[in-house]
Amino acid sequence: MKRVTGIGGIFFKAKDVEGMRAWYKTHLGIDVQDWGGATFNWAGDDGKPAVGTTIWSVSAMDSNNYAPSTASFMINYRVADLDALLDALRAEGCNVVGNSEASEYGKFGWVLDPEGNKVELWQPPPGQ
């Protein structure tokens, strides 16, 4: 079974959310949008556009999006078959968090790594 196929997003907390977004925009050229993050479109080895995006986003320190983890970051990994992977992780004794969720953006599930960091698993909708 194919497991992780790429990185779907990088999310982290900041004490000064607006200041952090502005710093990344000014100094690293990240095109931070009004929703608070940026989208990086993928390209193939030939430099031509490929299907897929990676999200980058900063949230407030008091955000509970990463709970039960106390880490200030969360990485979202693209996966080919979320349900099969969550079943395999459970069978392997991993700490799968809550139930998976589906939306127009795809299917999401979560697992804690050995140090308690919440890892988000994302199966994009078909064609993405």
Side-chain angles (χ1 to χ4, degrees), residues 9-47:
I10 299 170
F11 306 92
F12 63 99
K13 296 179 183 180
K15 293 175 186 169
D16 177 2
V17 175
E18 292 305 319
M20 186 70 82
R21 291 174 181 159
W23 187 91
Y24 274 90
K25 187 171 191 168
T26 300
H27 299 290
L28 296 184
I30 293 178
D31 186 20
V32 180
Q33 300 295 303
D34 291 340
W35 58 268
T39 302
F40 294 93
N41 294 313
W42 292 4
D45 292 338
D46 58 3

Side-chain angles (χ1 to χ4, degrees), residues 5 15 17 25 28 31 43 55 59 66 71 76 86 99 102 106 122 127:
T5 62
K15 293 175 186 169
V17 175
K25 187 171 191 168
L28 296 184
D31 186 20
I55 300 297
S59 59
Y66 315 154
N76 166 293
L86 291 175
N99 296 315
W122 170 49

Side-chain angles (χ1 to χ4, degrees), residues 48-115:
K48 294 181 180 176
V51 176
T53 58
T54 299
I55 300 297
W56 175 95
S57 181
V58 181
S59 59
M61 290 298 290
D62 61 357
S63 169
N64 65 356
N65 290 343
Y66 315 154
S69 173
T70 58
S72 62
F73 70 92
M74 182 174 66
I75 299 176
N76 166 293
Y77 293 99
R78 291 172 63 106
V79 301
D81 184 339
L82 179 66
D83 295 331
L85 179 53
L86 291 175
D87 287 345
L89 292 171
R90 285 183 188 99
E92 294 163 1
C94 295
N95 187 356
V96 174
V97 179
N99 296 315
S100 61
E101 296 177 11
S103 75
E104 68 269 24
Y105 303 109
K107 294 167 60 175
F108 298 86
W110 302 269
V111 63
L112 295 180
D113 73 13
E115 294 195 5

